[in-house]
Amino acid sequence: VQLQASGGGPVQAGGSLRLSCAASGRTFSNYVMGWFRQIPGKEREFVAALKRAGGYPSYSDPVKGRFTISRDNAKNMAFLQMNSLKPEDTAVYYCAAGYGIITSNLGSNSAYAYWGQGTQVTVSS
């Protein structure tokens, strides 16, 4: 699976962005899709994950209630709708895909075998 993330950019606090992740491969629906983010000098942290379209999503506490993960298996796409953005959301955002990830491991970097190149999100106050 090859992943291509896009949709990042500058935005003011309180604004919204929608990140997209385009995936190659015919078995996209079989993969768990996740979003992570990383600030320079810090470890990559979990943001959100979704096992299947219409499934129950998982979110990290800092983004819960503001971000929404979704996927369109027919288009091999995953999305991260980010609302009420805060300066502390500034980071490089990565989409990731993994197969057979159990719920307790959804937030683990090592559970995902495939990663996109990242897209920068910069939130100004």
Side-chain angles (χ1 to χ4, degrees), residues 35-59:
W35 287 95
F36 290 74
R37 64 188 183 186
Q38 188 169 25
I39 301 170
K42 292 195 172 182
E43 291 188 358
R44 194 170 298 184
E45 68 172 9
F46 171 72
V47 175
L50 185 61
K51 284 191 173 183
R52 62 187 184 278
Y56 190 78
S58 295
Y59 297 100

Side-chain angles (χ1 to χ4, degrees), residues 8-95:
V11 63
Q12 289 193 333
S16 298
L17 279 176
R18 188 192 195 205
L19 305 184
S20 298
C21 180
S24 64
R26 294 181 294 175
T27 59
F28 174 75
S29 61
N30 293 341
Y31 287 88
V32 174
M33 295 303 298
W35 287 95
F36 290 74
R37 64 188 183 186
Q38 188 169 25
I39 301 170
K42 292 195 172 182
E43 291 188 358
R44 194 170 298 184
E45 68 172 9
F46 171 72
V47 175
L50 185 61
K51 284 191 173 183
R52 62 187 184 278
Y56 190 78
S58 295
Y59 297 100
S60 65
D61 287 343
V63 309
K64 200 171 293 184
R66 300 188 296 122
F67 290 12
T68 302
I69 186 172
S70 61
R71 62 191 296 166
D72 184 339
N73 289 340
K75 297 181 178 179
N76 280 14
M77 297 285 293
F79 306 97
L80 185 68
Q81 177 67 43
M82 306 187 296
N83 297 330
S84 302
L85 283 161
K86 304 176 181 180
E88 51 263 43
D89 294 318
T90 295
V92 177
Y93 283 73
Y94 298 87
C95 61

